[in-house]
Amino acid sequence: MITESDCVAQDEQDPLADEAAKYYLPEGVLYFAGNSLGALPVAAQKRAVSIIRDEWGEKLVGGWNSAAWYSSPSRTGAKVARLIGADADEVTVTDSTSVNLFKSIIAAMRLNTQRKVCLTDREIFPSDFYIMQGIEELLGERFTLKAVQRDCILDEIGDDTGLLVLSHVDYRTGDVFDMQSITRRVQEAGGLVLWDLCHSAGILDISLNEAEADFAVGCGYKFLNGGPGAPSFVYVAKRHQESISQPLSGWMGHANPFAFDETYKSAPGIRKMLCGTPSIIAMGCFEAALDELLPVSMVAIRDKSTKLTRLFIELMKERCADFGFTLISSENDDIRGSQISYTHEQGYAIMQALIANNVIGDFRAPDCVRFGVSPVYLSYTDMWRAVDTIKTIMETETWRDFRGQKKEAVT
Ligand SMILES: Cc1ncc(COP(=O)(O)O)c(C=O)c1O
Protein backbone atom coordinates (compact mmCIF):
# COMPACT_ATOMS: atom_id res chain seq x y z
CA MET A 1 0.00 0.00 0.00
CA ILE A 2 1.21 3.48 -0.87
CA THR A 3 1.31 5.82 2.13
CA GLU A 4 1.26 9.60 2.38
CA SER A 5 4.87 9.47 3.62
CA ASP A 6 5.87 7.67 0.39
CA CYS A 7 4.47 10.63 -1.54
CA VAL A 8 6.26 13.13 0.71
CA ALA A 9 9.50 11.20 0.11
CA GLN A 10 8.98 11.43 -3.65
CA ASP A 11 8.45 15.20 -3.37
CA GLU A 12 11.76 15.49 -1.52
CA GLN A 13 13.52 13.89 -4.51
CA ASP A 14 11.61 15.90 -7.13
CA PRO A 15 13.92 17.94 -9.40
CA LEU A 16 10.95 20.11 -10.45
CA ALA A 17 9.79 20.87 -6.91
CA ASP A 18 10.80 24.54 -7.11
CA GLU A 19 8.77 25.21 -10.27
CA ALA A 20 5.48 25.55 -8.35
CA ALA A 21 6.64 28.85 -6.85
CA LYS A 22 6.42 30.39 -10.33
CA TYR A 23 2.62 29.90 -10.39
CA TYR A 24 -0.16 31.51 -8.44
CA LEU A 25 -2.84 29.17 -7.09
CA PRO A 26 -5.43 30.09 -4.45
CA GLU A 27 -4.61 28.78 -0.96
CA GLY A 28 -5.67 25.16 -0.47
CA VAL A 29 -6.63 24.53 -4.10
CA LEU A 30 -5.48 21.32 -5.80
CA TYR A 31 -5.65 22.24 -9.46
CA PHE A 32 -6.31 19.36 -11.87
CA ALA A 33 -7.67 21.39 -14.80
CA GLY A 34 -4.37 22.46 -16.34
CA ASN A 35 -5.37 20.45 -19.42
CA SER A 36 -8.20 22.93 -19.84
CA LEU A 37 -6.79 26.20 -18.51
CA GLY A 38 -3.29 26.28 -17.04
CA ALA A 39 -2.60 28.15 -13.79
CA LEU A 40 -1.47 31.77 -13.76
CA PRO A 41 2.29 32.26 -13.97
CA VAL A 42 3.26 35.13 -11.64
CA ALA A 43 5.40 36.49 -14.48
CA ALA A 44 2.37 36.65 -16.81
CA GLN A 45 0.49 38.79 -14.31
CA LYS A 46 3.45 41.20 -14.09
CA ARG A 47 3.80 41.25 -17.85
CA ALA A 48 0.11 42.07 -18.40
CA VAL A 49 0.34 45.02 -15.99
CA SER A 50 3.52 46.24 -17.62
CA ILE A 51 2.13 45.98 -21.18
CA ILE A 52 -0.96 47.94 -20.22
CA ARG A 53 0.75 50.58 -18.08
CA ASP A 54 4.26 51.00 -19.53
CA GLU A 55 3.69 50.07 -23.15
CA TRP A 56 0.11 50.85 -24.16
CA GLY A 57 -0.06 53.67 -21.57
CA GLU A 58 3.26 55.34 -22.28
CA LYS A 59 4.24 54.36 -25.81
CA LEU A 60 0.76 54.38 -27.32
CA VAL A 61 0.82 53.47 -31.02
CA GLY A 62 4.62 53.63 -30.98
CA GLY A 63 4.52 50.34 -29.05
CA TRP A 64 4.16 48.47 -32.34
CA ASN A 65 7.78 49.32 -33.03
CA SER A 66 9.44 50.35 -29.77
CA ALA A 67 7.87 47.57 -27.65
CA ALA A 68 8.27 45.06 -30.52
CA TRP A 69 4.54 44.24 -30.64
CA TYR A 70 4.69 43.83 -34.40
CA SER A 71 7.21 41.00 -34.23
CA SER A 72 5.47 39.27 -31.31
CA PRO A 73 3.78 36.49 -33.38
CA SER A 74 7.11 35.27 -34.76
CA ARG A 75 9.04 35.87 -31.53
CA THR A 76 6.47 33.95 -29.48
CA GLY A 77 6.24 31.30 -32.21
CA ALA A 78 9.98 30.74 -32.00
CA LYS A 79 9.60 30.06 -28.28
CA VAL A 80 6.77 27.57 -28.83
CA ALA A 81 8.93 25.93 -31.52
CA ARG A 82 11.56 25.01 -28.92
CA LEU A 83 8.91 23.15 -26.90
CA ILE A 84 7.54 21.13 -29.81
CA GLY A 85 10.75 20.26 -31.62
CA ALA A 86 10.42 22.63 -34.55
CA ASP A 87 12.64 25.32 -36.02
CA ALA A 88 12.07 28.92 -34.99
CA ASP A 89 10.83 29.93 -38.44
CA GLU A 90 8.30 27.10 -38.65
CA VAL A 91 5.91 28.36 -35.96
CA THR A 92 3.90 31.53 -35.46
CA VAL A 93 1.33 32.55 -32.87
CA THR A 94 -1.99 33.93 -34.02
CA ASP A 95 -5.77 33.49 -33.86
CA SER A 96 -7.46 30.55 -32.11
CA THR A 97 -6.82 26.86 -32.71
CA SER A 98 -10.11 26.55 -34.59
CA VAL A 99 -9.17 29.38 -36.95
CA ASN A 100 -5.69 27.96 -37.45
CA LEU A 101 -7.24 24.60 -38.25
CA PHE A 102 -9.38 26.22 -40.92
CA LYS A 103 -6.41 27.96 -42.53
CA SER A 104 -4.09 24.95 -42.28
CA ILE A 105 -6.55 22.32 -43.54
CA ILE A 106 -7.35 24.36 -46.64
CA ALA A 107 -3.67 25.23 -47.17
CA ALA A 108 -2.76 21.53 -46.93
CA MET A 109 -5.55 20.37 -49.25
CA ARG A 110 -4.55 22.97 -51.84
CA LEU A 111 -1.12 21.33 -52.10
CA ASN A 112 -2.58 18.38 -53.97
CA THR A 113 -6.01 19.12 -55.41
CA GLN A 114 -6.16 15.64 -57.01
CA ARG A 115 -6.75 14.18 -53.56
CA LYS A 116 -10.03 15.29 -52.07
CA VAL A 117 -10.33 13.15 -48.96
CA CYS A 118 -9.68 14.62 -45.55
CA LEU A 119 -9.54 11.72 -43.11
CA THR A 120 -10.11 12.13 -39.39
CA ASP A 121 -10.97 10.44 -36.11
CA ARG A 122 -14.73 10.43 -35.57
CA GLU A 123 -14.12 11.32 -31.94
CA ILE A 124 -11.68 14.14 -32.52
CA PHE A 125 -12.31 17.29 -30.46
CA PRO A 126 -15.66 18.64 -31.73
CA SER A 127 -14.33 22.02 -32.84
CA ASP A 128 -11.89 20.30 -35.21
CA PHE A 129 -14.76 18.30 -36.62
CA TYR A 130 -17.04 21.33 -36.95
CA ILE A 131 -14.32 23.19 -38.81
CA MET A 132 -13.93 20.27 -41.24
CA GLN A 133 -17.69 20.13 -41.71
CA GLY A 134 -17.66 23.86 -42.44
CA ILE A 135 -14.91 23.41 -45.02
CA GLU A 136 -16.87 20.60 -46.65
CA GLU A 137 -19.86 22.90 -46.95
CA LEU A 138 -17.69 25.67 -48.35
CA LEU A 139 -15.73 23.60 -50.88
CA GLY A 140 -18.44 21.17 -51.97
CA GLU A 141 -17.11 18.47 -54.28
CA ARG A 142 -13.55 19.61 -53.83
CA PHE A 143 -13.45 18.27 -50.27
CA THR A 144 -14.68 14.95 -48.87
CA LEU A 145 -14.68 14.54 -45.12
CA LYS A 146 -14.16 10.95 -44.01
CA ALA A 147 -14.54 10.45 -40.27
CA VAL A 148 -13.80 6.94 -39.02
CA GLN A 149 -13.42 5.06 -35.76
CA ARG A 150 -10.09 5.76 -34.04
CA ASP A 151 -8.91 2.17 -34.28
CA CYS A 152 -9.60 1.97 -38.02
CA ILE A 153 -7.79 5.12 -39.08
CA LEU A 154 -4.63 3.45 -40.35
CA ASP A 155 -6.66 1.02 -42.47
CA GLU A 156 -8.49 3.89 -44.12
CA ILE A 157 -5.39 5.64 -45.44
CA GLY A 158 -5.46 5.26 -49.21
CA ASP A 159 -4.37 6.78 -52.48
CA ASP A 160 -7.18 9.32 -52.26
CA THR A 161 -6.13 10.60 -48.81
CA GLY A 162 -5.08 14.20 -49.12
CA LEU A 163 -4.82 14.97 -45.42
CA LEU A 164 -5.17 13.17 -42.11
CA VAL A 165 -6.24 15.42 -39.24
CA LEU A 166 -5.61 13.97 -35.79
CA SER A 167 -5.48 15.19 -32.26
CA HIS A 168 -2.18 13.91 -30.89
CA VAL A 169 -3.81 13.34 -27.48
CA ASP A 170 -7.47 12.35 -27.14
CA TYR A 171 -9.28 14.97 -25.07
CA ARG A 172 -11.45 12.44 -23.21
CA THR A 173 -9.10 9.55 -22.45
CA GLY A 174 -5.75 11.30 -22.74
CA ASP A 175 -4.45 8.54 -25.06
CA VAL A 176 -1.52 9.54 -27.26
CA PHE A 177 -1.22 8.64 -30.95
CA ASP A 178 2.22 7.61 -32.25
CA MET A 179 3.08 10.73 -34.22
CA GLN A 180 6.15 9.38 -35.96
CA SER A 181 4.77 6.13 -37.33
CA ILE A 182 1.40 7.57 -38.36
CA THR A 183 3.03 10.51 -40.12
CA ARG A 184 5.33 8.14 -42.02
CA ARG A 185 2.46 5.86 -42.97
CA VAL A 186 0.37 8.70 -44.43
CA GLN A 187 3.31 10.24 -46.24
CA GLU A 188 4.24 6.89 -47.78
CA ALA A 189 0.70 6.78 -49.17
CA GLY A 190 1.27 10.23 -50.66
CA GLY A 191 -0.79 12.25 -48.16
CA LEU A 192 -0.11 14.84 -45.49
CA VAL A 193 -0.81 15.00 -41.76
CA LEU A 194 -2.03 17.81 -39.54
CA TRP A 195 -1.53 17.31 -35.81
CA ASP A 196 -3.66 19.07 -33.20
CA LEU A 197 -1.25 19.52 -30.29
CA CYS A 198 -3.64 21.23 -27.85
CA HIS A 199 -3.14 18.52 -25.23
CA SER A 200 0.52 17.78 -25.95
CA ALA A 201 2.34 21.11 -26.20
CA GLY A 202 4.22 21.87 -22.99
CA ILE A 203 3.63 18.44 -21.50
CA LEU A 204 4.85 15.74 -23.92
CA ASP A 205 8.40 15.54 -25.16
CA ILE A 206 7.64 15.84 -28.86
CA SER A 207 9.66 16.66 -31.94
CA LEU A 208 7.74 17.69 -35.04
CA ASN A 209 11.00 17.78 -36.96
CA GLU A 210 11.98 14.25 -36.01
CA ALA A 211 8.51 13.04 -36.96
CA GLU A 212 8.82 15.03 -40.20
CA ALA A 213 5.35 16.43 -39.48
CA ASP A 214 3.68 18.51 -42.18
CA PHE A 215 1.29 20.79 -40.28
CA ALA A 216 0.34 21.32 -36.64
CA VAL A 217 -1.77 23.63 -34.52
CA GLY A 218 -2.31 23.96 -30.79
CA CYS A 219 -3.61 26.25 -28.11
CA GLY A 220 -1.69 28.38 -25.66
CA TYR A 221 -3.98 28.14 -22.66
CA LYS A 222 -3.67 24.52 -21.50
CA PHE A 223 -0.29 23.11 -20.44
CA LEU A 224 1.46 26.19 -21.85
CA ASN A 225 -0.31 28.34 -19.23
CA GLY A 226 -0.83 31.28 -21.59
CA GLY A 227 -4.12 32.44 -20.03
CA PRO A 228 -7.82 32.18 -20.89
CA GLY A 229 -8.24 32.48 -24.65
CA ALA A 230 -4.47 32.77 -25.19
CA PRO A 231 -3.57 32.86 -28.88
CA SER A 232 -2.89 29.62 -30.67
CA PHE A 233 0.21 28.45 -32.51
CA VAL A 234 0.50 27.12 -36.03
CA TYR A 235 3.38 25.10 -37.49
CA VAL A 236 4.12 24.52 -41.16
CA ALA A 237 7.15 22.42 -42.12
CA LYS A 238 9.68 24.53 -43.96
CA ARG A 239 9.45 22.35 -47.06
CA HIS A 240 5.78 23.34 -47.54
CA GLN A 241 5.99 27.02 -46.71
CA GLU A 242 6.75 28.37 -50.15
CA SER A 243 4.04 26.38 -51.94
CA ILE A 244 1.13 26.88 -49.55
CA SER A 245 -1.54 29.53 -49.62
CA GLN A 246 -4.09 29.96 -46.87
CA PRO A 247 -7.60 31.31 -47.32
CA LEU A 248 -7.74 34.04 -44.67
CA SER A 249 -5.63 36.47 -46.63
CA GLY A 250 -5.61 39.36 -44.17
CA TRP A 251 -3.13 42.21 -44.15
CA MET A 252 -0.83 40.82 -41.42
CA GLY A 253 -0.05 37.89 -43.71
CA HIS A 254 0.73 40.24 -46.61
CA ALA A 255 4.31 40.57 -47.79
CA ASN A 256 4.24 44.26 -46.98
CA PRO A 257 1.20 45.25 -44.88
CA PHE A 258 2.09 48.91 -44.71
CA ALA A 259 2.45 49.32 -48.46
CA PHE A 260 -1.37 49.12 -48.58
CA ASP A 261 -1.23 47.46 -52.01
CA GLU A 262 -4.46 46.82 -53.83
CA THR A 263 -3.67 43.15 -54.28
CA TYR A 264 -2.85 40.46 -51.76
CA LYS A 265 0.65 39.09 -51.99
CA SER A 266 1.48 36.68 -49.23
CA ALA A 267 4.47 37.14 -46.95
CA PRO A 268 7.25 34.60 -47.34
CA GLY A 269 7.60 31.80 -44.81
CA ILE A 270 5.42 31.14 -41.80
CA ARG A 271 4.25 34.77 -41.62
CA LYS A 272 1.74 34.07 -44.38
CA MET A 273 -0.31 32.14 -41.79
CA LEU A 274 -1.16 35.42 -40.05
CA CYS A 275 -4.43 37.16 -40.78
CA GLY A 276 -5.24 40.25 -38.69
CA THR A 277 -3.78 42.32 -35.86
CA PRO A 278 -2.39 40.23 -32.98
CA SER A 279 -3.91 40.53 -29.51
CA ILE A 280 -0.93 42.08 -27.76
CA ILE A 281 -1.96 41.81 -24.11
CA ALA A 282 -2.88 38.13 -24.51
CA MET A 283 0.30 37.54 -26.50
CA GLY A 284 2.37 39.13 -23.74
CA CYS A 285 0.88 36.85 -21.07
CA PHE A 286 1.54 33.85 -23.30
CA GLU A 287 5.13 34.85 -23.97
CA ALA A 288 5.78 35.37 -20.26
CA ALA A 289 4.33 31.91 -19.54
CA LEU A 290 6.59 30.36 -22.17
CA ASP A 291 9.62 32.07 -20.64
CA GLU A 292 8.86 30.20 -17.41
CA LEU A 293 8.55 26.82 -19.13
CA LEU A 294 11.50 27.08 -21.49
CA PRO A 295 14.28 26.58 -18.93
CA VAL A 296 12.64 23.32 -17.77
CA SER A 297 13.52 20.19 -19.69
CA MET A 298 10.57 18.59 -21.49
CA VAL A 299 12.08 15.20 -20.66
CA ALA A 300 11.87 16.05 -16.95
CA ILE A 301 8.31 17.33 -17.35
CA ARG A 302 7.20 14.18 -19.16
CA ASP A 303 8.98 11.98 -16.62
CA LYS A 304 7.28 13.62 -13.64
CA SER A 305 3.93 13.73 -15.42
CA THR A 306 4.10 9.98 -16.07
CA LYS A 307 5.00 9.27 -12.45
CA LEU A 308 2.24 11.52 -11.10
CA THR A 309 -0.49 10.03 -13.30
CA ARG A 310 0.70 6.50 -12.49
CA LEU A 311 0.62 7.32 -8.78
CA PHE A 312 -2.91 8.74 -9.08
CA ILE A 313 -4.12 5.59 -10.84
CA GLU A 314 -2.49 3.35 -8.21
CA LEU A 315 -3.95 5.36 -5.33
CA MET A 316 -7.41 5.21 -6.90
CA LYS A 317 -7.08 1.43 -7.22
CA GLU A 318 -5.98 1.04 -3.64
CA ARG A 319 -8.35 3.53 -1.99
CA CYS A 320 -11.36 4.08 -4.27
CA ALA A 321 -11.89 0.73 -5.98
CA ASP A 322 -15.40 0.24 -4.56
CA PHE A 323 -16.95 3.49 -5.71
CA GLY A 324 -17.88 2.72 -9.32
CA PHE A 325 -15.16 4.58 -11.21
CA THR A 326 -14.04 3.07 -14.53
CA LEU A 327 -10.60 4.13 -15.70
CA ILE A 328 -10.66 5.07 -19.40
CA SER A 329 -7.09 6.36 -19.60
CA SER A 330 -4.38 3.93 -20.56
CA GLU A 331 -2.29 2.24 -17.88
CA ASN A 332 0.53 2.05 -20.40
CA ASP A 333 2.88 4.93 -19.55
CA ASP A 334 3.80 5.42 -23.22
CA ILE A 335 0.20 5.81 -24.34
CA ARG A 336 -1.12 7.88 -21.44
CA GLY A 337 -0.90 11.67 -21.78
CA SER A 338 -1.04 13.91 -18.75
CA GLN A 339 -4.59 13.32 -17.65
CA ILE A 340 -6.47 10.59 -15.92
CA SER A 341 -10.10 10.10 -16.88
CA TYR A 342 -12.78 7.96 -15.33
CA THR A 343 -16.34 7.39 -16.28
CA HIS A 344 -18.93 7.36 -13.52
CA GLU A 345 -22.68 7.62 -13.86
CA GLN A 346 -22.69 10.37 -11.22
CA GLY A 347 -19.65 12.07 -12.77
CA TYR A 348 -21.05 15.59 -12.87
CA ALA A 349 -22.24 15.59 -9.24
CA ILE A 350 -18.97 14.03 -8.06
CA MET A 351 -16.90 16.66 -9.85
CA GLN A 352 -19.05 19.44 -8.40
CA ALA A 353 -18.52 17.98 -4.91
CA LEU A 354 -14.77 17.79 -5.53
CA ILE A 355 -14.64 21.39 -6.74
CA ALA A 356 -16.56 22.46 -3.61
CA ASN A 357 -13.81 20.71 -1.68
CA ASN A 358 -10.99 22.48 -3.53
CA VAL A 359 -10.06 19.66 -5.91
CA ILE A 360 -10.61 21.24 -9.31
CA GLY A 361 -10.90 18.89 -12.27
CA ASP A 362 -13.52 18.96 -14.98
CA PHE A 363 -16.34 16.98 -16.55
CA ARG A 364 -16.97 16.00 -20.15
CA ALA A 365 -20.41 14.77 -21.17
CA PRO A 366 -21.86 12.28 -20.86
CA ASP A 367 -20.08 10.78 -17.85
CA CYS A 368 -16.36 11.51 -17.89
CA VAL A 369 -14.44 13.11 -15.01
CA ARG A 370 -10.99 14.35 -15.99
CA PHE A 371 -7.97 15.07 -13.83
CA GLY A 372 -5.32 16.99 -15.78
CA VAL A 373 -1.88 16.82 -14.24
CA SER A 374 0.55 19.66 -14.67
CA PRO A 375 3.87 18.63 -13.15
CA VAL A 376 5.18 22.17 -12.83
CA TYR A 377 2.72 23.02 -10.08
CA LEU A 378 1.44 19.68 -8.77
CA SER A 379 3.31 17.42 -6.35
CA TYR A 380 3.22 13.75 -5.44
CA THR A 381 1.56 14.67 -2.15
CA ASP A 382 -1.12 16.54 -4.12
CA MET A 383 -2.02 13.20 -5.77
CA TRP A 384 -2.45 11.72 -2.31
CA ARG A 385 -4.58 14.64 -1.12
CA ALA A 386 -6.80 14.58 -4.21
CA VAL A 387 -7.50 10.85 -3.98
CA ASP A 388 -8.08 11.27 -0.25
CA THR A 389 -10.75 13.90 -1.00
CA ILE A 390 -12.37 11.63 -3.62
CA LYS A 391 -12.47 8.82 -1.05
CA THR A 392 -14.08 11.06 1.59
CA ILE A 393 -16.70 12.38 -0.83
CA MET A 394 -17.62 8.89 -1.93
CA GLU A 395 -17.64 7.41 1.58
CA THR A 396 -19.71 10.21 3.08
CA GLU A 397 -21.82 10.41 -0.10
CA THR A 398 -21.67 14.21 -0.03
CA TRP A 399 -21.76 14.11 -3.84
CA ARG A 400 -25.50 13.42 -3.45
CA ASP A 401 -25.98 17.07 -2.45
CA PHE A 402 -24.88 18.05 -5.96
CA ARG A 403 -27.23 15.76 -7.87
CA GLY A 404 -29.78 17.39 -10.12
CA GLN A 405 -27.83 20.65 -10.15
CA LYS A 406 -28.26 22.64 -13.33
CA LYS A 407 -25.11 22.23 -15.42
CA GLU A 408 -23.04 25.39 -15.75
CA ALA A 409 -22.31 26.71 -19.26
CA VAL A 410 -18.70 25.51 -18.92
CA THR A 411 -18.32 22.10 -17.28
C1 LIG B 1 -7.94 19.18 -28.87
C2 LIG B 1 -8.55 20.54 -29.06
N1 LIG B 1 -8.60 21.06 -30.30
C3 LIG B 1 -9.14 22.27 -30.52
C4 LIG B 1 -9.66 23.03 -29.50
C5 LIG B 1 -10.30 24.35 -29.80
O1 LIG B 1 -9.45 25.40 -29.48
P1 LIG B 1 -9.90 26.92 -29.64
O2 LIG B 1 -11.06 27.14 -28.72
O3 LIG B 1 -8.69 27.69 -29.21
O4 LIG B 1 -10.25 27.17 -31.05
C6 LIG B 1 -9.60 22.54 -28.18
C7 LIG B 1 -10.14 23.32 -27.06
O5 LIG B 1 -10.19 22.92 -25.93
C8 LIG B 1 -9.04 21.25 -27.98
O6 LIG B 1 -8.99 20.70 -26.74
Side-chain angles (χ1 to χ4, degrees), residues 101 105 109 115-124 128-129 132 136 143-167 177 182 185-186 189 191-195:
L101 276 161
I105 292 170
M109 293 299 284
R115 292 189 176 214
K116 303 190 188 342
V117 173
C118 179
L119 183 63
T120 194
D121 170 7
R122 184 178 289 172
E123 297 197 50
I124 197 167
D128 302 38
F129 201 56
M132 287 181 260
E136 190 174 39
F143 185 93
T144 308
L145 177 57
K146 191 168 176 186
V148 300
Q149 213 87 46
R150 242 180 120 69
D151 312 341
C152 310
I153 283 179
L154 293 184
D155 304 330
E156 295 291 334
I157 298 165
D159 56 12
D160 58 351
T161 309
L163 181 69
L164 172 64
V165 179
L166 278 187
S167 185
F177 273 122
I182 294 176
R185 178 87 177 260
V186 178
L192 301 166
V193 187
L194 188 161
W195 290 101

Side-chain angles (χ1 to χ4, degrees), residues 31-276:
Y31 193 61
F32 284 82
N35 56 336
S36 180
L37 171 66
L40 167 66
V42 177
Q45 184 186 10
K46 289 195 181 136
R47 181 86 188 102
V49 171
S50 161
I51 292 178
I52 293 170
R53 188 189 53 205
D54 308 329
E55 297 182 3
W56 181 15
E58 298 295 329
K59 298 177 195 291
L60 294 159
V61 72
W64 287 106
N65 294 315
S66 63
W69 294 345
Y70 184 66
S71 52
S72 63
S74 54
R75 188 177 63 246
T76 314
K79 292 181 180 182
V80 174
R82 286 163 56 191
L83 296 173
I84 56 175
D87 286 348
D89 56 358
E90 290 181 307
V91 182
T92 193
V93 172
T94 177
D95 300 322
S96 64
T97 308
S98 304
V99 173
N100 282 328
L101 276 161
F102 179 81
K103 293 184 290 187
S104 305
I105 292 170
I106 294 184
M109 293 299 284
R110 281 177 175 171
L111 280 176
N112 182 357
T113 52
Q114 299 303 309
R115 292 189 176 214
K116 303 190 188 342
V117 173
C118 179
L119 183 63
T120 194
D121 170 7
R122 184 178 289 172
E123 297 197 50
I124 197 167
F125 188 78
S127 194
D128 302 38
F129 201 56
Y130 304 153
I131 291 290
M132 287 181 260
Q133 287 174 326
I135 294 174
E136 190 174 39
E137 209 173 304
L138 183 74
L139 299 184
E141 285 174 1
R142 287 178 290 156
F143 185 93
T144 308
L145 177 57
K146 191 168 176 186
V148 300
Q149 213 87 46
R150 242 180 120 69
D151 312 341
C152 310
I153 283 179
L154 293 184
D155 304 330
E156 295 291 334
I157 298 165
D159 56 12
D160 58 351
T161 309
L163 181 69
L164 172 64
V165 179
L166 278 187
S167 185
H168 186 214
V169 176
D170 182 86
Y171 77 102
R172 278 208 183 90
T173 61
D175 283 2
V176 184
F177 273 122
D178 182 341
M179 180 184 286
Q180 195 141 6
S181 72
I182 294 176
T183 302
R184 195 176 320 118
R185 178 87 177 260
V186 178
Q187 289 172 348
E188 278 167 7
L192 301 166
V193 187
L194 188 161
W195 290 101
D196 178 337
L197 302 180
C198 280
H199 291 268
S200 10
I203 193 74
L204 296 186
D205 179 27
I206 45 177
S207 173
L208 293 175
N209 284 166
E210 262 173 42
E212 297 188 33
D214 299 296
F215 293 85
V217 296
C219 64
Y221 47 77
K222 296 182 193 288
F223 291 113
L224 294 174
N225 309 311
S232 151
F233 63 86
V234 52
Y235 155 93
V236 180
K238 225 172 300 185
R239 63 185 178 280
H240 297 311
Q241 288 181 2
E242 207 183 312
S243 345
I244 57 157
S245 69
Q246 61 96 352
L248 297 184
S249 42
W251 72 315
M252 284 290 150
H254 191 281
N256 191 355
F258 287 87
F260 298 104
D261 285 345
E262 278 183 13
T263 318
Y264 183 78
K265 177 172 177 278
S266 72
I270 192 69
R271 233 190 71 207
K272 69 172 67 159
M273 294 307 284
L274 300 185
C275 178

